[in-house]
Amino acid sequence: MSRARPPAIVLFVVLLHAEPAQLCVVRAAPPTYSAIVVNSYPHDPGAFTQGLHMDPQGSTMVESTGLYGESTVRRVDLVSGRVIQSERLPSSWFGEGLTVQAGRCIQLLWREGLALVRDPQTLKLRETLPLPPGIAEGWGITGDGRGSLFVSDGSSTLHELDVHTFEVKRRLGVRANGRELPALNDLQWVQGEIWANLWHEEKLAVIQPSDGSVRCFVDLRQLLSPAERRALGGGCDVMREEAVLNGIAFDEGARRLFVTGKCWPTIFEIETEALLAG
């Protein structure tokens, strides 16, 4: 017994004098869930999808598409893929994320420093709003339905804005396993959490809006077959490497989750344990 005590005392003294950076904090890595496809719907392979929003009735979606000279905002019939309404953006504007909140359809622009406020029914432009300082680029946008918008800019930070004034309420650093998670892209509010595309990654991150921690990931590598992957990019003027997973929509009434990609020919309705575990 007496010979066992000195090492314990020495260890205690070492810990007391250790610098904070020397102390290793073990964090559990967020789990990764798989997904299964329960339905597939046609999607315009020429649409460089940047944002999706499910209309309340669950049969149509509002979609924002990008690329200079090609950007649009459109309403699409889910089952047929038919474009019901479409508004083309000026050739100097690059469309990005989109959401419908507080009676307004809000569409971001990439590097133009603007948000476009539209009529949610006609999609006609009502006004333009400058993005607040600190948001370098517009990427993804969603809202909690209670007065807050969340905007991504390609970094690991989400910017929470007031839905009415567009003023910054706070900035939320997103971390997984204690490390920053960069390249946050399209966003979707799903049952109290923020689901995010990660640019050039075939997975979704499920983010806790309280502290920015990632609860889990959803692996979507199995959505496309090898032949479908090789064919990507053929429907629009863009390198195949940029035809990546992007676009999340959630049907709140029926609890249905949808994903697609830039210039993908399909919108997938998926089920995942990540939704059940939230």
mmCIF file of all heavy atoms in Angstrom, residues 165-185:
data_model
loop_
_atom_site.group_PDB
_atom_site.id
_atom_site.type_symbol
_atom_site.label_atom_id
_atom_site.label_comp_id
_atom_site.label_asym_id
_atom_site.label_seq_id
_atom_site.Cartn_x
_atom_site.Cartn_y
_atom_site.Cartn_z
ATOM 1 N N THR A 165 -35.989 41.833 -39.348
ATOM 2 C CA THR A 165 -35.044 42.943 -39.509
ATOM 3 C C THR A 165 -33.763 42.538 -40.232
ATOM 4 O O THR A 165 -33.018 43.390 -40.691
ATOM 5 C CB THR A 165 -34.659 43.522 -38.145
ATOM 6 O OG1 THR A 165 -33.907 42.532 -37.405
ATOM 7 C CG2 THR A 165 -35.905 43.916 -37.358
ATOM 8 N N PHE A 166 -33.493 41.244 -40.316
ATOM 9 C CA PHE A 166 -32.277 40.713 -40.919
ATOM 10 C C PHE A 166 -31.037 41.064 -40.110
ATOM 11 O O PHE A 166 -29.906 40.960 -40.601
ATOM 12 C CB PHE A 166 -32.131 41.183 -42.368
ATOM 13 C CG PHE A 166 -32.005 40.040 -43.348
ATOM 14 C CD1 PHE A 166 -32.976 39.066 -43.417
ATOM 15 C CD2 PHE A 166 -30.915 39.938 -44.204
ATOM 16 C CE1 PHE A 166 -32.867 38.004 -44.297
ATOM 17 C CE2 PHE A 166 -30.803 38.881 -45.098
ATOM 18 C CZ PHE A 166 -31.775 37.912 -45.142
ATOM 19 N N GLU A 167 -31.208 41.485 -38.875
ATOM 20 C CA GLU A 167 -30.066 41.782 -38.013
ATOM 21 C C GLU A 167 -29.528 40.497 -37.396
ATOM 22 O O GLU A 167 -30.271 39.553 -37.122
ATOM 23 C CB GLU A 167 -30.475 42.769 -36.914
ATOM 24 C CG GLU A 167 -30.862 44.143 -37.432
ATOM 25 C CD GLU A 167 -31.265 45.090 -36.316
ATOM 26 O OE1 GLU A 167 -31.386 44.618 -35.159
ATOM 27 O OE2 GLU A 167 -31.456 46.285 -36.593
ATOM 28 N N VAL A 168 -28.220 40.478 -37.162
ATOM 29 C CA VAL A 168 -27.578 39.296 -36.586
ATOM 30 C C VAL A 168 -27.938 39.183 -35.112
ATOM 31 O O VAL A 168 -27.752 40.118 -34.337
ATOM 32 C CB VAL A 168 -26.051 39.363 -36.760
ATOM 33 C CG1 VAL A 168 -25.378 38.169 -36.080
ATOM 34 C CG2 VAL A 168 -25.675 39.408 -38.236
ATOM 35 N N LYS A 169 -28.430 38.025 -34.719
ATOM 36 C CA LYS A 169 -28.734 37.749 -33.317
ATOM 37 C C LYS A 169 -27.571 37.053 -32.619
ATOM 38 O O LYS A 169 -27.276 37.299 -31.458
ATOM 39 C CB LYS A 169 -29.997 36.900 -33.216
ATOM 40 C CG LYS A 169 -31.226 37.585 -33.820
ATOM 41 C CD LYS A 169 -32.399 36.639 -33.991
ATOM 42 C CE LYS A 169 -33.080 36.296 -32.701
ATOM 43 N NZ LYS A 169 -34.365 35.562 -32.924
ATOM 44 N N ARG A 170 -26.907 36.162 -33.327
ATOM 45 C CA ARG A 170 -25.704 35.488 -32.801
ATOM 46 C C ARG A 170 -25.027 34.738 -33.946
ATOM 47 O O ARG A 170 -25.599 34.555 -35.023
ATOM 48 C CB ARG A 170 -26.046 34.505 -31.678
ATOM 49 C CG ARG A 170 -26.943 33.373 -32.112
ATOM 50 C CD ARG A 170 -27.091 32.290 -31.054
ATOM 51 N NE ARG A 170 -28.035 31.279 -31.500
ATOM 52 C CZ ARG A 170 -28.020 30.015 -31.125
ATOM 53 N NH1 ARG A 170 -27.108 29.600 -30.267
ATOM 54 N NH2 ARG A 170 -28.922 29.157 -31.579
ATOM 55 N N ARG A 171 -23.806 34.320 -33.693
ATOM 56 C CA ARG A 171 -23.060 33.499 -34.635
ATOM 57 C C ARG A 171 -22.731 32.179 -33.940
ATOM 58 O O ARG A 171 -22.251 32.164 -32.815
ATOM 59 C CB ARG A 171 -21.804 34.214 -35.121
ATOM 60 C CG ARG A 171 -22.123 35.571 -35.757
ATOM 61 C CD ARG A 171 -20.921 36.154 -36.483
ATOM 62 N NE ARG A 171 -21.113 37.580 -36.739
ATOM 63 C CZ ARG A 171 -21.747 38.079 -37.795
ATOM 64 N NH1 ARG A 171 -22.273 37.257 -38.684
ATOM 65 N NH2 ARG A 171 -21.869 39.392 -37.967
ATOM 66 N N LEU A 172 -23.011 31.100 -34.650
ATOM 67 C CA LEU A 172 -22.951 29.775 -34.071
ATOM 68 C C LEU A 172 -21.856 28.959 -34.754
ATOM 69 O O LEU A 172 -21.943 28.659 -35.946
ATOM 70 C CB LEU A 172 -24.319 29.093 -34.243
ATOM 71 C CG LEU A 172 -24.568 27.749 -33.581
ATOM 72 C CD1 LEU A 172 -24.524 27.889 -32.066
ATOM 73 C CD2 LEU A 172 -25.924 27.210 -34.023
ATOM 74 N N GLY A 173 -20.816 28.618 -34.015
ATOM 75 C CA GLY A 173 -19.764 27.781 -34.557
ATOM 76 C C GLY A 173 -20.181 26.320 -34.521
ATOM 77 O O GLY A 173 -20.618 25.814 -33.489
ATOM 78 N N VAL A 174 -20.055 25.648 -35.648
ATOM 79 C CA VAL A 174 -20.467 24.246 -35.756
ATOM 80 C C VAL A 174 -19.243 23.356 -35.583
ATOM 81 O O VAL A 174 -18.228 23.535 -36.263
ATOM 82 C CB VAL A 174 -21.153 23.966 -37.111
ATOM 83 C CG1 VAL A 174 -21.496 22.484 -37.254
ATOM 84 C CG2 VAL A 174 -22.412 24.828 -37.240
ATOM 85 N N ARG A 175 -19.362 22.378 -34.679
ATOM 86 C CA ARG A 175 -18.249 21.501 -34.364
ATOM 87 C C ARG A 175 -18.722 20.055 -34.287
ATOM 88 O O ARG A 175 -19.814 19.781 -33.802
ATOM 89 C CB ARG A 175 -17.593 21.903 -33.035
ATOM 90 C CG ARG A 175 -17.131 23.351 -32.997
ATOM 91 C CD ARG A 175 -16.508 23.713 -31.664
ATOM 92 N NE ARG A 175 -15.186 23.145 -31.515
ATOM 93 C CZ ARG A 175 -14.073 23.714 -31.951
ATOM 94 N NH1 ARG A 175 -14.124 24.888 -32.576
ATOM 95 N NH2 ARG A 175 -12.905 23.136 -31.779
ATOM 96 N N ALA A 176 -17.877 19.167 -34.779
ATOM 97 C CA ALA A 176 -18.121 17.731 -34.675
ATOM 98 C C ALA A 176 -16.916 17.103 -34.001
ATOM 99 O O ALA A 176 -15.780 17.286 -34.450
ATOM 100 C CB ALA A 176 -18.331 17.112 -36.060
ATOM 101 N N ASN A 177 -17.163 16.391 -32.917
ATOM 102 C CA ASN A 177 -16.079 15.766 -32.165
ATOM 103 C C ASN A 177 -15.039 16.800 -31.730
ATOM 104 O O ASN A 177 -13.834 16.536 -31.719
ATOM 105 C CB ASN A 177 -15.420 14.658 -33.004
ATOM 106 C CG ASN A 177 -14.623 13.683 -32.170
ATOM 107 O OD1 ASN A 177 -14.864 13.538 -30.969
ATOM 108 N ND2 ASN A 177 -13.662 13.021 -32.783
ATOM 109 N N GLY A 178 -15.513 18.010 -31.399
ATOM 110 C CA GLY A 178 -14.634 19.070 -30.922
ATOM 111 C C GLY A 178 -13.914 19.838 -32.002
ATOM 112 O O GLY A 178 -13.166 20.774 -31.698
ATOM 113 N N ARG A 179 -14.127 19.479 -33.285
ATOM 114 C CA ARG A 179 -13.437 20.158 -34.371
ATOM 115 C C ARG A 179 -14.421 20.932 -35.243
ATOM 116 O O ARG A 179 -15.559 20.518 -35.421
ATOM 117 C CB ARG A 179 -12.687 19.143 -35.237
ATOM 118 C CG ARG A 179 -11.602 18.386 -34.491
ATOM 119 C CD ARG A 179 -10.872 17.425 -35.406
ATOM 120 N NE ARG A 179 -9.789 16.729 -34.715
ATOM 121 C CZ ARG A 179 -8.991 15.842 -35.276
ATOM 122 N NH1 ARG A 179 -9.164 15.533 -36.565
ATOM 123 N NH2 ARG A 179 -8.034 15.259 -34.584
ATOM 124 N N GLU A 180 -13.947 22.054 -35.786
ATOM 125 C CA GLU A 180 -14.796 22.850 -36.664
ATOM 126 C C GLU A 180 -15.227 22.035 -37.883
ATOM 127 O O GLU A 180 -14.439 21.247 -38.428
ATOM 128 C CB GLU A 180 -14.061 24.105 -37.132
ATOM 129 C CG GLU A 180 -13.773 25.110 -36.023
ATOM 130 C CD GLU A 180 -13.094 26.348 -36.542
ATOM 131 O OE1 GLU A 180 -12.734 26.372 -37.744
ATOM 132 O OE2 GLU A 180 -12.907 27.304 -35.759
ATOM 133 N N LEU A 181 -16.469 22.223 -38.302
ATOM 134 C CA LEU A 181 -16.999 21.533 -39.477
ATOM 135 C C LEU A 181 -17.212 22.570 -40.577
ATOM 136 O O LEU A 181 -18.220 23.281 -40.586
ATOM 137 C CB LEU A 181 -18.312 20.831 -39.126
ATOM 138 C CG LEU A 181 -18.898 19.939 -40.229
ATOM 139 C CD1 LEU A 181 -18.005 18.726 -40.460
ATOM 140 C CD2 LEU A 181 -20.306 19.494 -39.860
ATOM 141 N N PRO A 182 -16.296 22.674 -41.532
ATOM 142 C CA PRO A 182 -16.386 23.712 -42.566
ATOM 143 C C PRO A 182 -17.302 23.307 -43.715
ATOM 144 O O PRO A 182 -17.825 22.192 -43.773
ATOM 145 C CB PRO A 182 -14.945 23.853 -43.040
ATOM 146 C CG PRO A 182 -14.392 22.471 -42.880
ATOM 147 C CD PRO A 182 -15.058 21.883 -41.648
ATOM 148 N N ALA A 183 -17.454 24.226 -44.664
ATOM 149 C CA ALA A 183 -18.166 23.997 -45.929
ATOM 150 C C ALA A 183 -19.634 23.668 -45.730
ATOM 151 O O ALA A 183 -20.206 22.875 -46.484
ATOM 152 C CB ALA A 183 -17.468 22.913 -46.754
ATOM 153 N N LEU A 184 -20.280 24.293 -44.735
ATOM 154 C CA LEU A 184 -21.722 24.125 -44.558
ATOM 155 C C LEU A 184 -22.433 24.757 -45.748
ATOM 156 O O LEU A 184 -22.172 25.898 -46.102
ATOM 157 C CB LEU A 184 -22.181 24.787 -43.257
ATOM 158 C CG LEU A 184 -21.546 24.250 -41.968
ATOM 159 C CD1 LEU A 184 -21.939 25.129 -40.798
ATOM 160 C CD2 LEU A 184 -21.948 22.807 -41.719
ATOM 161 N N ASN A 185 -23.345 24.010 -46.363
ATOM 162 C CA ASN A 185 -23.972 24.479 -47.591
ATOM 163 C C ASN A 185 -25.479 24.640 -47.384
ATOM 164 O O ASN A 185 -25.902 25.367 -46.506
ATOM 165 C CB ASN A 185 -23.635 23.524 -48.744
ATOM 166 C CG ASN A 185 -23.711 24.173 -50.101
ATOM 167 O OD1 ASN A 185 -24.159 25.306 -50.243
ATOM 168 N ND2 ASN A 185 -23.285 23.469 -51.119
#
